[in-house]
């Protein structure tokens, strides 16, 4: 709702980490991302690299592959189960990414030969994904975490930084103006 309210003149979009399967690829009626009453499809097929500027794309969710290098005034970021915080420590979980995510393809096989190096690479990819997604908004970023402890980490971290103006909205949504 917050992103839709900020969308005047195609200036706000929602993006997410690639934690949900692309069901609508084979079934155009299917919802890909379902969080409570929120039901959306990935944008991956219809507009390609023009997704972020297509007027109807407010009804879709973008991913790292379709928004990298593009910006809007306001971005809404859904942080999925691949990125959680426990006791103040960020934990990335590659197994929570969709199996079709090409950015970490083959990591399970590579774990057998060099687990430490592969875990470090995948950790960096997941963190960089969210960093990139969160920096697509030039005026502001709304963050929704599917995990409550992670949401609380963001609430606390944002509120403790005087350079960031923040206010809590619904349960685990944060709005931060500035970067």
């Amino acid at each position: 709702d917050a992103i839709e309210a900020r969308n005047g003149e195609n200036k706000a979009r929602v993006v997410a980490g690639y934690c949900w399967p692309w069901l609508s690829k084979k079934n155009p009626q299917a919802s890909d991302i379902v969080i409570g009453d929120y039901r959306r499809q990935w944008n991956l097929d219809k507009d390609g690299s023009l997704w972020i500027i297509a007027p109807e794309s407010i009804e879709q969710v973008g991913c790292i592959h379709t928004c990298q290098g593009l910006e809007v005034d306001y971005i809404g970021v859904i942080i999925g189960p691949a990125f959680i915080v426990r006791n103040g420590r960020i934990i990335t979980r590659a197994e929570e990414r969709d199996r079709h995510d090409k950015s970490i393809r083959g990591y399970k096989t590579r774990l057998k030969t060099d687990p430490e190096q592969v875990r470090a690479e995948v950790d960096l990819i997941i963190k960089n994904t969210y960093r990139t997604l969160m920096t697509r908004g030039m005026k502001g970023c709304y963050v929704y975490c599917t995990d409550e402890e992670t949401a609380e980490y963001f609430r606390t971290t944002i509120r403790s930084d005087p350079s960031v103006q923040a206010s809590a909205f619904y349960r685990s949504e944060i709005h931060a103006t500035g970067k």
Side-chain angles (χ1 to χ4, degrees), residues 148 151-159 168 171-174:
E148 186 58 39
E152 186 56 33
Y153 170 82
F154 277 95
R155 278 189 208 103
T156 303
T157 302
I158 289 172
R159 286 185 185 133
R171 206 172 66 104
S172 53
E173 180 180 331
I174 299 294

Side-chain angles (χ1 to χ4, degrees), residues 84-91 93 147-150 153:
I84 62 169
V85 177
R86 293 295 178 263
N87 299 315
R89 191 172 141 250
I90 296 170
I91 300 168
R93 303 183 306 173
D147 175 75
E148 186 58 39
E149 189 171 335
T150 305
Y153 170 82

Side-chain angles (χ1 to χ4, degrees), residues 4 10 20 29 41 47-48 58 64 101 104 109 118 126 154-155 159 167-168 179:
E4 287 177 6
N10 267 0
W20 293 269
Q29 305 308 311
Q41 291 183 336
D47 296 304
I58 189 70
I64 188 67
D101 180 7
I104 61 168
T109 303
V118 172
I126 293 171
F154 277 95
R155 278 189 208 103
R159 286 185 185 133
S167 58
K179 289 187 180 178

Side-chain angles (χ1 to χ4, degrees), residues 129-149:
T129 295
Y130 284 108
R131 181 180 52 81
T132 300
L133 295 176
M134 288 183 187
T135 59
R136 300 304 86 199
M138 298 300 294
K139 293 182 179 176
C141 177
Y142 290 81
V143 176
Y144 179 86
C145 302
T146 59
D147 175 75
E148 186 58 39
E149 189 171 335

Side-chain angles (χ1 to χ4, degrees), residues 159-170:
R159 286 185 185 133
S160 68
D161 185 342
S163 68
V164 178
Q165 178 189 3
S167 58
F169 291 94
Y170 175 72

